[in-house]
Amino acid sequence: MPEPTLMEKLVSLCKRRGFIYQGSEIYGGLNGTWDYGPMGTELLRNIRNAWWHDNVTTREDIVGLDAAILMHRSVWQASGHESNFTDPLVDCKCCKARFRADQLAESQCPRKPSKHPGEHHECQLTEARKFNLMFKTFVGPVEEDAQMVYLRPETAQGIFVNFKNVCDSTRIKLPFGIAQIGKAFRNEITPKQFVFRSREFEQMEIEFFCHPDTSVQWYQRWRDARFQWYKDLGIKSDNLRLREHGQEELSHYSRGTSDVEYLFPWGWGELEGIGYRGDYDLTQHMKCSGKDLSYFDDETKQRFVPHVIEPSAGATRSLLAFLCEAYTEDQAPDEKGKLETRTVLRLHPRLAPVKAAIFPLVKKDGMPEKAMELYRQLQKHMAVFYDEKGAVGRRYRRQDEAGTPYCITIDGQTNTDQTVTIRDRDSMKQERVAMEKVLGYLLERLVR
Ligand code: GAP
């Protein structure tokens, strides 16, 4: 049997350890949908929290929003999504499979996977046609066109349509941003590479509104800040790049777009786009809604339509990048001192689903009670896990695989000097720490 690839190992670990499962799995799965298990839910929440903390809570110039997923159809007509949010699609009349016309060279013929669609003698590909990626549904009991709405394909438009509401209901002044995290839905023709391209996923977007004269500086600042964010959360420089779009890739209104890209096992893929959108979106919504979305600057007495910088990140896609980056195998001694392969998720402590695991060395001599007492104390401050089953070495390995940065063991010595061992996931080094100092020890290391 060939050695499984990194992606195969990661997908298997995600299922085994409760990070990610196929959506609707017991009914055969629903392609392009994924369910996040107990570990994945915590990891995703930690990514969202880190993003929100770093981009909203700790800044004075960004406020949050949580807009509805179902939005008026006119929103998507104004934004251009109804007419332009399409991918070119080809069908094979023989095997009934569908492919993106611009990705035939990367796709496999279902009849003969070593060939691309169109290369097998039975392939009968249709001409390419435009396929709109928005999911439709109906509001109310009657399924007719007038009641049709789209599930949002991006969170951004919820921000633009609330620009005036936010200006009127807060005292925030330009330049400022509105941030939103939420689900987005795209009927991708070929969802692929695990959660990388899904039909339901999560975005973390900011629309940063500024005076047109300052927009280029803001674009550059956001581009650099967003690139640094991934590095700060543990992505190595070699696996991360900032790719500035060429003139030919830019929309007509854009003065610049950069993508933060990660080197996935199959190649470079976009994690986030930082786009300079000018006044395009607000102007479109002004035209289509008839509402005035211009901004009046009290100091300069100027009225203008703000320009927008849009850092638009994928939460679920960055989760995959963080997992790929964290996945490591090394050699570590087993219970008898023999070297064995150890799987470790070297997740940044801010992202780790569980921050510390607490073990009694054995289930006697008051150790479980002491361990439980410590567990209850730490639980008030962070996500911790209690485990008393099996050999302690096995318990360490399980936590290594889940990315838990610290394992704390209550042993025979604890009863005599009130100290515990704290084991570091990455170095596997252990140190003795007084029980009363454990909380401080963890808090100091987890926020770095
Ligand atoms: N408002 C701009 C916008 O939505 P985008 O490049 O289409 O721009 C932004 O999407 C980010 O959303 C991407 O960089 C990616 O991280 C994530 N994303 C887009 N489509 C996705 C999909 N089908 N599955 C998972 N993540 C996706």
Side-chain angles (χ1 to χ4, degrees), residues 39-51 202 319 350-351:
M39 286 289 160
T41 308
E42 292 291 336
L43 175 56
L44 188 54
R45 184 183 298 273
N46 291 341
I47 294 172
R48 285 190 211 113
N49 286 351
W51 185 89
E202 222 172 289
L319 175 141
R350 286 180 78 190
L351 302 184

Side-chain angles (χ1 to χ4, degrees), residues 85 153-156 186 188 195-203 205 207 270-273 277 310 312-318:
F85 195 56
E154 60 169 26
T155 57
R186 297 183 189 179
E188 299 284 357
V195 300
F196 179 83
R197 178 164 290 117
S198 340
R199 291 192 165 124
E200 176 175 341
F201 56 97
E202 222 172 289
Q203 289 187 316
E205 297 198 292
E207 304 303 327
E270 178 191 325
L271 295 183
E272 169 161 355
R277 300 188 59 87
E310 179 190 69
S312 168
T316 41
R317 196 176 277 185
S318 38

Side-chain angles (χ1 to χ4, degrees), residues 17 47 52 83 85 100 110 129 172 188 211 213 225 231-232 303 323 349 375 394 407 442:
R17 299 314 316 270
I47 294 172
W52 196 266
S83 40
F85 195 56
R100 265 180 68 165
R129 61 195 163 88
I172 199 150
E188 299 284 357
H211 189 281
D213 292 348
K231 284 208 213 169
D232 291 346
R303 179 169 287 284
L323 281 175
Y375 168 74
R394 290 286 122 211
C407 288
L442 294 177

